[in-house]
Structures are given as structure tokens and as C-alpha cells.
């Protein structure tokens, strides 16, 4: 049962697809006063949800701020990441879900100021609030997911393994990467193109110099079984003669300042304007631009910098310039320090968000009120265009920034994590929370984006990545190379990638089931074994579909880990040379041995999962079809384990 309550004058977000009549009762589940919603927690209260957020699966014990942020350092103290997913489930003696459909900043204090209190405070009070009651957690999730509509379905090839780096800046570099994988007999389905493929970072351009005959190149790579996936950034470079810029200016498609001038910020290309994705016509216009690359043979994209990320703005630079001109650099110590802070605060400055305006159905709306809808509508622009431009062929789309509702058009990746062991665990913990909010095509930068990766870390991370719908190794400029062939134990990497392709039919099935049934592909043990005191506290193991539990190794210098089995299970290990080892284990705590080159999983008693036989996956005649994920397996190609 879902109840809707209206506060003030909500701005339409299109997060919800069902019409729910407005309830005139008081909200029973939460207290509302002075613009905040509160709830008194007991010792046993648990709080789940918030999608792509920091810290645990149980969100209790910290403060989270829904405000899409370009936050490249995911340390424990960070309150905002790239997404804003305002759905939580509170479980105590009673249980209910609540969705705050509010596109401005919303603060979720979940036992931060007062360890026993939840206080939720929106910056702007205008919103719809939905309270979802149900039989149990999963029932509530499914009802909520019905409310927000079916999740985006990625093409099958996007379930293959992908390699990315900032940047493979020429076609030769991409060839080199493909060769690296091929020479080491490793399967790969996609190579990603980061910003340097463009001409001076201009969206929908391809550098002729670095990618001559691009269409031919795309097709050559495609013939090898691999798709190229370019990045698209939110900001449009200001450059005379650049058609996207000129069309945007001429048609008033860019975000404005208070006087109606196109707002000037800077991102990778230098000075840019932001397309007003909240304006239907601008959205359509930008979406249609993807055709330029679809026509070159491209079948997938990743949308970036769409919080939107701002490096600096013209306004803010003017302020600094003015302060500098007024200063005596020999004597004004305090003022100089002030200027230093001003430089530090240039990026993603709230003043800039406050100074930008959208045109929503003819109404001028300040950006800060609708900040969290920006990335959502960039990907929606693409998604709506793909329905028109490519009705018969699914196009891959995932985004960095998001809001609930975007899950119907796009997947997400978890942004700029680091090559830290703790981020393998963070990756795991975000999976079920994102599923609760409708995001099913998800994954993190495997191996870590920032910082230098080590061979063991990448290998352990890959052993988690084999289970996530998006399975992409990505790393930042200036960090150590982390393509799987760059390390010494290439055979082991090959083996782990083989496991992904052997599991792919199973993973794809579980994903499609979750889409069709509005279900969670990844579930915390607490959702499945809610009566089991030990299971409900476990946050480093997850259920994958109905029959499998995963428990990756995420610490360095270990040869295994402790797992808790909430029931009897078969411990399965994919070991070197394509062997599968199984062992029946009883309910309880076990230390399981997992070598660096092994992929573990657990299967519930009496259940089996299907896995492609190693001999099939390593058949060279099938290599291309396997990489394209277009292969039609026959029943005899599978073995059943459990
Ligand atoms: C952002 C993205 C990252 C990308 C980089 C350069 O940091 O999150 O994935 O590699 O920009 O485009």
C-alpha cells in the first residue's frame, strides 16, 4: 500500500510513473515539524536504502546529504556522492519505506546528531512524500519499484568485460589494448573512449588527427568482436563555429544566469555552457546529437560530469580578479589567505549552482532547487532519443550522476573510487542499496580509478566484478597501468575473465528477472534471513538472485576469509585452468580458503546454477561470438553446479 502526501508546491521530477491520489490523513509513520521529518529509533532499528551512498548497507550512524556531487575522494567522512536516491526503508517492530521526491538538497541524519533519532530535512519544503507499507522488506521494495517504473535494460554485449582508461587517446592506443588482451588470450567485449577522443573536448566530435577514419575504425574493432564506448560530458565548449554550441545559443538551450544570459562555467574544454536538460526541447535537441556517433557505428555511451561538475566559473574568477587588484601583495597577509581559500573553493561552488536558472515548461526555476535532476535528465535525453533513433537495437547508457527515475533510461557507475581495498567493500555495499532504488545496470571502476593499483588488488576486485552487470576496469590519468595484461600473472587474470563469460548466461538471467519482477538482483542477507540474528548484521556477503551468495575477499595478504552461512550451502570455487571445486558446508561460520586466482561463490542447498563449460568458453572458433555475447549456447554447453 502506498500513500502520497504533498508538501508545498512540488516541482515535477517524473521519478514516479503511477498516479497515486493525495492522502489527506496525517503521516503516522514519521513526525513532521519545523520542516523536518523525524523518527525515534529503538536499539534494533535498521535503515536501508539511499542508493549510491557512503558507508554501510544499514545506513544507521551517519549523515548523508542528497546533493549530486563531483566527489573524487570517497573517504568515510563524505556525505554526498554523485547520486541522490531519497528512498529508505525503516525496519523496527513496524516496517515501512519512504521516498522523498524532492530534487533539491535533502539531509538524512540517521543517528548522527542523536544516535537514536532519524531527522530528514529538505532544503526546500516542496515535494511529494510516498510512504510504502508492505508485508516485509522485499514486498516494500517491489511496490516502490512498481511506483517508479521498470529499470533500464542494457544490451547483452554490455555484460561482457570492458576495459577503460583515462585515456586511450589515439586509435593506435586502442589497438594496443585490444592486442594486449588478445595476445594473452583474455576475452574482452568493449573498450571505452575517455575525453581525449574528442576534438578539444567538444561533445559529439571525434579528433580526426587521433582517430582518422573513425567509422572504419569502429567497424574494424567491431569485427574483432569489440564495441567502442565513448564518453559524453555535460558541458558544451564555447567556441565559435562549433555547431552544438551555436545551436544551443541560438535556441536558448543553455542554462541561464539571473539576467537571462547563458551561464559560463569551465570544465575539461575550458569555458562551457550547460545544456538545460530540464527543458524538454533542449533535452530533445541534445539527445538527437547522439545520432552523430550512432551513425559512426557506436552502440554505447557513458555520460559524465553531469552533477554538473564545475571546475570554476567566470563569475568566481571575476571575483578573485577583483580581490587581487585591490590587494597589496607585500602587506595584506589576511587578504592573501582569503584569496587562497577562494581558489580552493572554485570547484562545484554553491554560489554557481545558485546563480543558474532552468526553463521548465516555460517557468524559470533556480538550479539549486532542482540540482539533483540534472544528470538524470542528461541521460534521459539520451534514453528518449535512443527509443526513437534505435528502436530495435538496445544502446548502452550509464551515467555518473543520477536521481530516482533515471533508472528507467540508464545504468550508473559508481564514479571515481580509488585503488583501495576498502573500496572493494564499498562497491559491494552499494549494490543492494542501488537495486532498492531501481538501478540494476551498475558497477564500479574495477581495480580502482584513482591511486596506483597493485596486482593482487586488481585480481581480488575482478573476482567481485565478475558478478556485477557492468564489469569495467577503469583508471585515472597518471596512475599505474592496470589493464589485466600489464601484470605478471596474466594466466590468472585470463582465468578470472573466463569465469565472467562462463557465468554470463546466469548473470544476465538474474538481471532480467530483477528487471521484469521489479526485484533486487543483489540482496543483503538481512532481507533474506530476517530472523537470523547473525545474518542480519552481515555486510560483506550478498545474495545474488535466489540461489547464490557471494562473499569476495577484500583484504590484502590473505589466503581466504570468514563467511557465515545462514543455511547449508555448497562452496564453489572457480580455480585455475577452468576447474570448479565444490564442497558442502553446514550452516555456521567457516574460514574458506580462496587463493588470489580463484573466484568463490556459494549455492543454497538443493539448488544449482548453470555455467558454460570451460571447453566451450575457450574454443577459439567461438571467441568472437563469446566476446560479442551473441552466442546461442546449446544445453550441452552448460554444466550445472551446486
Ligand atoms: C571523471 C570521470 C572519470 C573520467 C574522467 C576524465 O573524473 O569520473 O571516469 O575518466 O572524468 O574524463
Amino acid at each position: 500500500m502506498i500513500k502520497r502526501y504533498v508538501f508545498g508546491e512540488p516541482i515535477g521530477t517524473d521519478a514516479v510513473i503511477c498516479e497515486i491520489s493525495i492522502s489527506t490523513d496525517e503521516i503516522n509513520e514519521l513526525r513532521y515539524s519545523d520542516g523536518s521529518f523525524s523518527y525515534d529509533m529503538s536499539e534494533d532499528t535498521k535503515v536501508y536504502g539511499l542508493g549510491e551512498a557512503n558507508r554501510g548497507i544499514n545506513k544507521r550512524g551517519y549523515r548523508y546529504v542528497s546533493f549530486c556531487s563531483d566527489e573524487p575522494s570517497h573517504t568515510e567522512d563524505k556525505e554526498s556522492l554523485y547520486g541522490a536516491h531519497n528512498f529508505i526503508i525503516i525496519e523496527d517492530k513496524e516496517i515501512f519505506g519512504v521516498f522523498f521526491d524532492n530534487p533539491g538538497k535533502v539531509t538524512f541524519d540517521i543517528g548522527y546528531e542523536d544516535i537514536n533519532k532519524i531527522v530528514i530535512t529538505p532544503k526546500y519544503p516542496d515535494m511529494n512524500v510516498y510512504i510504502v507499507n508492505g508485508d516485509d522488506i522485499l514486498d516494500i521494495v517491489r511496490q516502490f519499484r512498481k511506483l517508479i517504473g521498470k529499470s533500464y535494460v542494457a544490451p547483452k554485449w554490455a555484460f561482457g568485460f570492458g576495459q577503460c582508461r583515462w585515456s586511450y587517446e589515439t586509435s593506435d592506443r586502442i589497438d594496443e589494448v585490444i592486442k594486449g588482451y588478445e595476445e594473452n588470450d583474455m576475452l574482452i567485449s568493449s573498450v571505452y573512449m575517455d575525453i581525449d577522443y574528442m576534438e578539444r573536448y567538444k561533445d559529439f566530435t571525434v579528433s580526426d588527427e587521433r582517430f582518422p577514419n573513425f567509422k572504419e575504425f569502429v567497424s574494424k574493432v567491431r569485427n574483432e568482436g569489440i564495441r567502442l564506448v565513448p564518453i559524453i560530458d555535460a558541458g558544451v565548449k564555447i567556441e565559435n563555429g562549433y555547431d552544438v554550441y551555436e545551436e544551443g545559443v541560438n535556441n536558448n538551450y543553455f542554462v541561464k544566469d539571473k539576467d537571462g544570459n547563458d551561464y559560463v562555467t569551465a570544465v575539461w574544454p575550458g569555458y562551457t555552457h550547460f545544456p538545460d536538460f530540464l527543458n524538454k526541447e533542449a533535452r530533445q535537441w541534445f539527445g538527437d546529437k547522439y545520432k552523430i556517433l550512432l551513425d559512426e557505428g557506436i552502440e554505447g555511451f557513458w555520460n559524465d560530469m553531469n552533477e554538473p561538475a564545475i571546475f570554476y566559473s567566470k563569475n568566481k574568477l571575476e571575483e578573485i580578479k577583483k580581490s587581487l587588484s585591490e590587494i597589496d601583495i607585500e602587506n595584506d597577509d589576511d587578504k592573501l589567505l582569503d584569496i587562497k581559500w577562494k581558489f580552493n573553493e572554485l570547484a562545484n561552488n554553491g554560489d554557481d549552482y545558485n546563480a543558474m536558472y532552468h526553463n521548465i515548461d516555460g517557468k524559470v526555476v533556480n538550479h539549486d532547487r532542482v540540482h539533483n535532476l540534472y544528470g538524470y535528465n542528461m541521460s534521459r535525453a539520451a534514453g528518449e532519443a535512443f527509443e526513437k533513433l534505435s528502436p530495435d537495437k538496445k544502446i548502452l547508457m550509464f551515467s555518473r550522476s543520477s536521481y530516482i527515475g533515471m533508472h528507467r533510461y540508464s545504468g550508473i557507475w559508481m564514479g571515481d573510487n580509488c585503488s583501495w581495498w576498502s573500496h572493494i567493500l564499498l562497491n559491494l555495499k552499494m549494490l543492494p542499496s542501488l537495486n532498492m532504488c531501481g538501478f540494476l545496470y551498475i558497477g564500479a571502476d574495477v581495480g580502482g580509478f584513482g591511486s596506483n593499483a597493485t596486482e593482487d588488488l586488481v585480481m581480488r576486485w575482478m573476482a567481485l566484478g565478475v558478478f556485477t552487470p557492468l564489469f569495467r576496469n577503469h583508471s585515472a590519468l597518471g596512475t599505474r597501468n592496470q589493464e589485466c595484461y600489464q601484470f605478471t600473472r596474466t594466466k590468472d587474470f585470463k582465468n578470472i575473465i573466463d569465469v565472467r563469460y562462463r557465468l554470463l548466461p546466469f548473470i544476465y538471467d538474474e538481471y532480467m528477472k530483477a528487471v521484469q519482477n521489479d526485484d533486487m538482483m543483489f540482496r543483503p542477507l538481512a532481507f533474506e534471513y530476517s530472523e537470523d540474528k547473525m545474518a542480519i548484521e552481515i555486510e560483506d556477503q550478498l545474495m545474488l538472485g535466489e540461489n547464490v551468495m557471494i562473499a569476495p575477499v577484500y583484504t590484502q595478504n590473505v589466503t581466504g576469509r570468514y563467511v557465515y552461512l545462514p543455511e547449508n550451502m555448497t562452496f564453489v570455487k572457480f580455480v585455475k585452468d577452468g576447474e570448479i571445486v565444490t564442497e558442502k558446508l553446514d550452516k555456521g561460520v567457516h574460514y574458506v580458503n580462496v587463493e588470489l586466482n580463484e573466484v568463490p561463490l556459494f549455492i543454497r542447498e538443493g539448488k544449482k546454477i548453470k555455467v558454460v563449460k570451460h571447453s566451450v568458453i575457450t574454443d577459439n572458433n567461438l571467441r568472437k561470438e563469446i566476446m560479442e555475447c551473441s552466442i546461442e549456447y546449446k544445453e550441452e554447453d552448460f554444466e550445472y553446479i551446486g
Side-chain angles (χ1 to χ4, degrees):
M1 223 245 314
I2 303 182
K3 281 190 169 179
R4 171 180 165 214
Y5 301 88
V6 177
F7 294 79
E9 286 178 41
I11 295 171
T13 64
D14 291 339
V16 161
I17 60 150
C18 307
E19 271 290 331
I20 308 270
S21 52
I22 300 168
S23 175
T24 47
D25 312 342
E26 291 274 297
I27 300 186
N28 291 325
E29 290 81 357
L30 298 167
R31 260 192 327 276
Y32 181 68
S33 73
D34 292 338
S36 290
F37 299 84
S38 58
Y39 180 90
D40 295 322
M41 294 191 279
S42 77
E43 293 265 290
D44 295 330
T45 308
K46 299 190 175 51
V47 183
Y48 300 106
L50 293 183
E52 184 187 31
N54 217 340
R55 298 210 171 202
I57 295 176
N58 179 356
K59 304 315 278 187
R60 187 170 181 164
Y62 205 57
R63 185 169 60 196
Y64 311 86
V65 179
S66 279
F67 191 75
C68 298
S69 299
D70 170 24
E71 175 50 74
S73 174
H74 309 169
T75 46
E76 259 185 59
D77 54 341
K78 295 296 157 55
E79 297 179 332
S80 303
L81 297 177
Y82 311 89
H85 307 140
N86 301 340
F87 176 60
I88 55 171
I89 293 182
I90 299 176
E91 184 186 34
D92 203 325
K93 278 173 204 67
E94 71 230 332
I95 174 169
F96 62 95
V98 51
F99 174 45
F100 300 89
D101 189 6
N102 185 323
K105 185 180 276 183
V106 183
T107 302
F108 292 82
D109 175 336
I110 307 180
Y112 177 80
E113 288 294 342
D114 176 339
I115 198 163
N116 290 319
K117 227 178 174 157
I118 300 176
V119 182
I120 297 151
T121 314
K123 181 168 178 187
Y124 303 102
D126 307 291
M127 67 190 147
N128 283 294
V129 175
Y130 297 86
I131 302 274
V132 190
N133 285 292
D135 302 336
D136 54 34
I137 272 199
L138 286 172
D139 179 40
I140 290 172
V141 171
R142 284 185 203 116
Q143 286 193 58
F144 175 62
R145 294 271 303 281
K146 243 186 214 98
L147 179 73
I148 58 173
K150 287 266 175 283
S151 302
Y152 160 77
V153 177
K156 207 164 181 189
W157 62 263
F159 287 76
F161 174 62
Q163 181 62 55
C164 188
R165 180 167 174 86
W166 175 22
S167 244
Y168 303 132
E169 66 288 321
T170 60
S171 48
D172 287 349
R173 278 288 284 129
I174 290 184
D175 277 335
E176 237 175 73
V177 173
I178 294 172
K179 196 159 147 240
Y181 275 92
E182 204 185 346
E183 283 180 352
N184 288 284
D185 209 15
M186 298 170 184
L187 300 166
I188 181 166
S189 299
S190 49
V191 177
Y192 287 76
M193 299 169 67
D194 210 318
I195 45 175
D196 299 283
Y197 79 85
M198 298 182 222
E199 200 191 288
R200 294 191 298 287
Y201 306 128
K202 290 187 294 183
D203 279 341
F204 310 111
T205 67
V206 178
S207 160
D208 248 354
E209 198 185 312
R210 278 169 286 120
F211 288 86
N213 307 319
F214 185 58
K215 196 171 190 167
E216 264 169 46
F217 181 64
V218 175
S219 140
K220 186 204 87 169
V221 170
R222 178 73 185 75
N223 282 333
E224 294 165 37
I226 296 165
R227 261 96 168 179
L228 295 177
V229 185
I231 194 170
I232 303 290
D233 278 358
V236 170
K237 184 173 175 60
I238 297 177
E239 186 182 282
N240 287 331
Y242 170 36
D243 52 354
V244 182
Y245 160 71
E246 290 187 345
E247 287 169 27
V249 170
N250 292 338
N251 294 294
N252 279 319
Y253 288 156
F254 292 128
V255 166
K256 304 281 185 195
D257 68 12
K258 66 176 187 334
D259 302 318
N261 304 311
D262 295 330
Y263 199 68
V264 183
T265 58
V267 202
W268 301 119
Y271 282 132
T272 53
H273 292 318
F274 287 132
D276 187 355
F277 298 119
L278 278 66
N279 168 346
K280 218 181 276 157
E281 277 135 46
R283 194 160 69 228
Q284 224 171 51
W285 160 75
F286 195 85
D288 286 343
K289 294 287 169 211
Y290 286 80
K291 182 170 189 299
I292 295 170
L293 290 161
L294 292 177
D295 286 348
E296 301 288 298
I298 291 297
E299 296 171 58
F301 302 88
W302 44 311
N303 278 349
D304 192 22
M305 308 304 274
N306 50 0
E307 293 70 30
I310 298 175
F311 292 168
Y312 50 91
S313 68
K314 207 164 185 180
N315 277 357
K316 286 273 146 194
L317 286 187
E318 298 281 5
E319 274 177 31
I320 293 181
K321 193 171 154 196
K322 184 159 175 286
S323 309
L324 271 172
S325 69
E326 289 164 357
I327 216 165
D328 170 0
I329 56 169
E330 300 298 330
N331 297 307
D332 287 341
D333 287 348
D334 283 355
K335 284 189 185 157
L336 279 167
L337 202 59
D338 222 42
I339 287 175
K340 175 197 156 29
W341 295 132
K342 279 194 174 143
F343 272 108
N344 285 0
E345 288 162 5
L346 275 177
N348 308 319
N349 192 296
D351 292 347
D352 287 319
Y353 294 133
N354 282 323
M356 303 193 319
Y357 291 84
H358 297 276
N359 170 356
I360 308 181
D361 299 326
K363 226 172 120 188
V364 176
V365 180
N366 181 248
H367 174 83
D368 196 53
R369 297 188 75 95
V370 288
H371 173 77
N372 292 335
L373 296 180
Y374 192 75
Y376 161 16
N377 280 284
M378 178 183 182
S379 299
R380 180 181 178 181
E384 286 173 342
F386 298 154
E387 281 165 23
K388 242 176 14 196
L389 299 171
S390 179
D392 302 322
K393 184 158 67 174
K394 289 194 175 69
I395 303 295
L396 171 64
M397 162 56 54
F398 58 91
S399 169
R400 194 170 72 174
S401 183
S402 57
Y403 183 83
I404 291 174
M406 196 195 82
H407 70 286
R408 299 194 298 272
Y409 303 97
S410 168
I412 65 159
W413 94 100
M414 297 165 184
D416 298 348
N417 58 13
C418 278
S419 299
W420 298 342
W421 291 89
S422 59
H423 279 185
I424 303 181
L425 188 56
L426 186 61
N427 176 175
L428 181 89
K429 288 182 184 183
M430 282 185 191
L431 296 169
S433 311
L434 277 165
N435 279 184
M436 287 174 71
C437 299
F439 294 94
L440 294 182
Y441 189 79
I442 52 177
D445 286 347
V446 169
F449 177 72
S451 311
N452 289 327
T454 54
E455 179 160 10
D456 51 348
L457 174 132
V458 179
M459 217 177 272
R460 289 296 195 198
W461 208 325
M462 296 278 292
L464 166 60
V466 296
F467 297 111
T468 61
L470 168 65
F471 180 26
R472 179 182 80 150
N473 177 325
H474 181 33
S475 56
L477 192 73
T479 60
R480 191 173 175 193
N481 291 329
Q482 66 184 45
E483 295 81 9
C484 297
Y485 58 85
Q486 305 277 7
F487 299 106
T488 52
R489 299 174 62 163
T490 47
K491 266 200 98 174
D492 292 334
F493 277 104
K494 172 199 155 34
N495 188 48
I496 295 175
I497 296 172
D498 281 351
V499 173
R500 167 58 168 223
Y501 286 89
R502 295 180 73 183
L503 284 171
L504 205 143
F506 160 74
I507 287 167
Y508 188 72
D509 278 0
E510 292 301 335
Y511 168 83
M512 285 310 293
K513 269 195 272 171
V515 172
Q516 275 148 10
N517 305 328
D518 297 315
D519 220 330
M520 296 172 67
M521 180 171 169
F522 296 99
R523 294 198 278 265
L525 269 55
F527 288 22
E528 200 74 40
Y529 303 94
S530 53
E531 304 298 317
D532 181 331
K533 285 231 170 325
M534 207 142 160
I536 57 178
E537 292 189 358
I538 287 185
E539 296 213 346
D540 61 355
Q541 305 171 200
L542 292 177
M543 301 306 293
L544 195 186
E546 269 169 46
N547 301 328
V548 168
M549 185 179 81
I550 58 169
V553 175
Y554 55 89
T555 40
Q556 194 161 22
N557 300 323
V558 296
T559 48
R561 58 163 286 174
Y562 284 96
V563 283
Y564 172 65
L565 305 192
E567 59 177 293
N568 297 346
M569 288 186 175
T570 305
F571 172 40
V572 177
K573 262 195 315 188
F574 290 84
V575 300
K576 67 177 166 71
D577 301 328
E579 298 276 311
I580 297 176
V581 182
T582 62
E583 183 187 354
K584 303 255 182 234
L585 295 177
D586 290 340
K587 172 178 160 71
V589 176
H590 297 265
Y591 185 86
V592 292
N593 188 268
V594 185
E595 298 295 332
L596 258 184
N597 55 1
E598 297 174 347
V599 179
L601 61 87
F602 299 82
I603 301 179
R604 280 176 146 169
E605 196 170 41
K607 306 290 182 190
K608 289 197 179 306
I609 65 163
K610 69 174 180 192
V611 173
V612 180
K613 286 179 185 158
H614 191 242
S615 56
V616 178
I617 220 85
T618 47
D619 181 341
N620 252 333
N621 298 322
L622 301 174
R623 186 178 170 86
K624 194 171 152 228
E625 278 171 276
I626 292 168
M627 298 208 309
E628 283 175 341
C629 310
S630 62
I631 183 163
E632 295 282 340
Y633 291 111
K634 295 185 274 317
E635 192 47 40
E636 63 260 32
D637 296 335
F638 293 114
E639 57 185 302
Y640 287 81
I641 52 170

